[in-house]
Amino acid sequence: MNSPAYAQVVFNLPLQDAFTYEIPPQFTGRVEVGMRVLVPFGKRSITGYVVELTDTFDKKFTLKAIADLPDSAPVISAELLSLTHWMADYYHAGWGETIKAALPGGLDEESHEVFSLTEKGQVDTPDLPANTRRLLFALRGKKNQTQKQLRKTLQKNFSAHTLSQLRQDGYVRSEIKLRKSSAAYIQEKQARVVSPPPTGNPVDTLLSRSPRQKEVYEILLKGECPISELAQKVPNYSAALRQLIQKGLAETFILRQSRQAVESPSPLQANPDAPFQFTPDQEKLYRRLCESLAGNQGQTFLLHGITGSGKTEIYIRCIQQALQLGQTAIMMVPEISLTPQTVHLFQKRFGEEVAILHSGLSSTERFLEWDKIRAGKVSIVIGARSAIFAPFSNLGIIIIDEEHDTSYKQDSSPRYHARDTAIVRARLQKALVVLGSATPSLESRWNAETGKYHYLSLDQRIGDRFLPLVRLIDMKKEREEFKNFSILSTTLKRAVLERLARKEQIFLFLNRRGTANYVLCRGCGFVFDCPRCSVSLTFHGQTKLMMCHYCNYTAVMPKGCVDCGGDVIRFSGFGTQKLEAEARKLFPSARIMRMDRDTTRDRSTYETVFRDMNAGKIDILIGTQMITKGHDFHNVTLVGVVYADQSLHIPDFRSSERSFQLLTQVAGRAGRGQVPGLVIVQTNNMDHYVYDFVRTHDYQRFYEQELSVRKRLHFPPFTRLATLAIEGEDEQQTEAAAQKVRRLLGPVIEQSSGVELLGPARAALYRLNEKFRWHIILRAEETQTLQATLKQCSQLWAGLKSSFGKIKITLDVDPINML
């Protein structure tokens, strides 16, 4: 039987179609579906993914041939190809983009066009236009720059047309360079003798006057030698090796080898039978899940358990059961901050059966973990969003802890939701899905109510422990009646002192970084805003800088007002830095740690905080939402929510839901040991209905209240949404583009019964990172109706994107961030 002659290839590009390539004779019979291939694409060579083999193609086209095969076997399985194809179809992304998302970073190779100056371009030419001189100056600073690097350096002053003209005029040259993969392979420079040696003078004669060259040559005669090893054997070898190469006696080359996972014994001995007595409620739920697991029914369960009710132990027992059935398991957590604690717990039970996948790993680490999973060396994967693509073949169970968390939604293409993707994968592989949360998303709770998911609940804490008492503090009353203008209320200060005296631990939660959330002139009222975004700059006391938390723009704190020249600058609002300073002043003997994005730049910091909290080395932990989820510290008896209203003020229909979830989650950190917990919530808006339900831990009543609001306003879970974001650097052009999109969509929507078009309207964050932003929302009651309309518009998107130039149009299906 003849091997197929052509391959259908997709790329990590926003393209819906596959491209046909010829399989050249040297690769006949070696190309398989799921393999990567290096192919010519336009002026460059890039990595693509084979999705189909065929013997036919459209004779109108002249085919290009596959240039190289980076692998000897497929890197993505048939099951994951099916999953990524569904993702591309549902989220309207390129199939290659979704395959890329399923693979560890750093695998692919691609070529880039790099630019450098010719001799003519190195001569100063003052008669050239200013923009042209800027481009030449940028190239003088660094050789071999890509167009992307030049654009980043010059920003608005960059012009692709100017660069092209400089190349035509002989000022600039370009060449195609291949960027090698660094994750999957070790690329090592080596040296070897040339065989046979050059004719003419014998080797001894050529080397008679250079003992150093002779020493290097004799080492190479014994076999190929890495340059690093040669440097150890012969100090200052480089000149001798260079002379050997010039004489034709030696040559250098790059040896490329596949990386091998480093086998390191786990510090923890597996103990799968660790004693733990289930409560009757836990036992009942566990039995129900085991039945579904054994039946390979591909069912989805929503496990709604209050904080401290023992959900994690049920997860562990279900995974243990899956392993006994010869299956594998994926355990997903929403934040990297949960990973050290979760990994520690799972390694304690399962030892070396556990692999880790999350964004905190380097490209090489991610590849090695992924390769270990693919090789079948582990049976459990723990990780964040990308863990859903773990290359298991016999998947038995997927657990999604804190299923309501918004970080499960990818905010760049492909904009997939890991929870929904997990459910589809489980359906394809007939695996069990467990969605766990103390505060399920309204969509998941509604799906359980309507029978799409199976509903399970745990409404009692382990060991008959009580949920913490929640006290609401009216900060307006605190200021007006008690004249307390401090960040902390009198009640919270007193409670902290009492816990410190009893050697108990405290969480202080504030979901805002920095020292002051805006800086203003007391004289004229001028507020220091980010010049790139429509938000104020936050002052950071430690660095004495004002910073934008959206685009990372920074500015030195001025001595006076840039508007009126006044010298009285007022710092208004507060963040975690100021809270830390205030806490250190009020509680000087307390051991205080702050945990936010400014202090936790790598995963080792999380591990240090986790270890020190368990060891009792931290009295007060101050932090943003990093400290709210999943942590189980039995000596934390007090949680103070310093400013509870912040998330309520976000202009998003989910703001009440997110506020309730956040406050309930952080409250759940208190009283998980023998001592009952207390939660003090400081608010300026005592009358908001969210606080009534937070105080009583009443999810069900909150769900019913919020559901009635959503139904009245026609928002999810009663409808499905898709947003079109239109962004551009020119304000008028961006608005005109948004209006044009609206006009073009109008006729399509009119023909689509059941789809509503809202907008265009300015985004809540109207300017972000120097781009003006408009939103258009498509809304429908049925998923199929919305998807059918989006498919009708698919050709329209492509035409719009090409006609608007620098205007960017982005489609987001089931959006989470409406800002």
Side-chain angles (χ1 to χ4, degrees), residues 420-487:
D420 301 335
T421 304
I423 291 169
V424 173
R425 181 174 185 184
R427 193 183 306 141
L428 291 171
Q429 297 188 248
K430 300 202 180 307
L432 168 67
V433 178
V434 180
L435 309 177
S437 177
T439 54
S441 66
L442 258 71
E443 289 86 349
S444 292
R445 184 66 183 85
W446 178 250
N447 282 337
E449 189 170 311
T450 55
K452 188 175 180 180
Y453 302 161
H454 300 275
Y455 182 71
L456 304 172
S457 69
L458 289 170
D459 54 11
Q460 295 292 325
R461 277 189 160 185
I462 295 296
D464 295 325
R465 298 185 184 110
F466 294 106
L467 284 167
L469 175 68
V470 178
R471 291 189 61 185
L472 300 176
I473 303 298
D474 187 344
M475 293 304 286
K476 288 192 292 185
K477 186 176 180 181
E478 192 82 10
R479 290 187 296 271
E480 293 167 4
E481 293 187 16
F482 306 130
K483 306 305 178 187
N484 177 19
F485 298 96
S486 169
I487 298 175

Side-chain angles (χ1 to χ4, degrees), residues 487 510-519 537-549 571-582 594-599 601 622-624 646:
I487 298 175
L510 175 60
N511 206 21
R512 179 194 290 148
R513 295 182 292 136
T515 302
N517 59 306
Y518 63 98
V519 183
L537 294 172
T538 299
F539 178 65
H540 287 249
Q542 288 185 339
T543 58
K544 306 297 182 187
L545 293 173
M546 296 186 295
M547 178 182 291
C548 175
H549 288 171
F571 299 93
S572 295
F574 48 87
T576 48
Q577 276 190 27
K578 189 170 182 178
L579 176 59
E580 180 187 14
E582 183 84 357
R594 176 163 57 91
M595 188 175 176
D596 57 27
R597 206 173 74 184
D598 294 325
T599 61
R601 295 291 182 182
I622 295 170
T624 55
Q646 184 180 359

Side-chain angles (χ1 to χ4, degrees), residues 362-404:
S362 68
S363 294
T364 300
E365 288 173 324
R366 274 199 302 272
F367 170 78
L368 292 176
E369 291 294 290
W370 173 83
D371 197 44
K372 191 162 62 174
I373 299 161
R374 187 173 62 149
K377 295 178 181 177
V378 296
S379 302
I380 304 166
V381 167
I382 300 171
R385 187 173 54 233
S386 61
I388 191 55
F389 304 116
F392 283 136
S393 57
N394 188 23
L395 185 60
I397 185 170
I398 303 173
I399 296 170
I400 305 178
D401 194 26
E402 313 290 4
E403 68 82 27
H404 65 275

Side-chain angles (χ1 to χ4, degrees), residues 26-73:
Q26 66 268 31
F27 298 140
T28 299
R30 294 170 54 191
V31 180
E32 298 178 49
V33 171
M35 289 179 71
R36 295 178 303 148
V37 288
L38 191 66
V39 297
F41 192 84
K43 292 183 178 180
R44 54 187 179 143
S45 295
I46 60 175
T47 299
Y49 311 100
V50 178
V51 295
E52 186 182 349
L53 298 176
T54 180
D55 280 315
T56 61
F57 80 100
D58 193 332
K59 304 294 184 181
K60 292 186 296 184
F61 301 103
T62 302
L63 295 187
K64 296 179 179 179
I66 293 171
D68 195 12
L69 295 180
D71 312 297
S72 58

Side-chain angles (χ1 to χ4, degrees), residues 162 215 244 272 332 430 438 477 542 594 641 711 755:
T162 302
E215 182 182 4
L244 288 173
M332 293 172 63
K430 300 202 180 307
K477 186 176 180 181
Q542 288 185 339
R594 176 163 57 91
V641 181
K711 190 171 187 177
V755 179

Side-chain angles (χ1 to χ4, degrees), residues 187-212:
Q187 301 187 78
E188 187 175 45
K189 190 174 183 180
Q190 300 204 1
R192 62 190 172 198
V193 296
V194 173
S195 181
T199 55
N201 293 329
V203 173
D204 288 343
T205 304
L206 291 171
L207 303 180
S208 60
R209 296 188 178 184
S210 177
R212 182 67 55 82

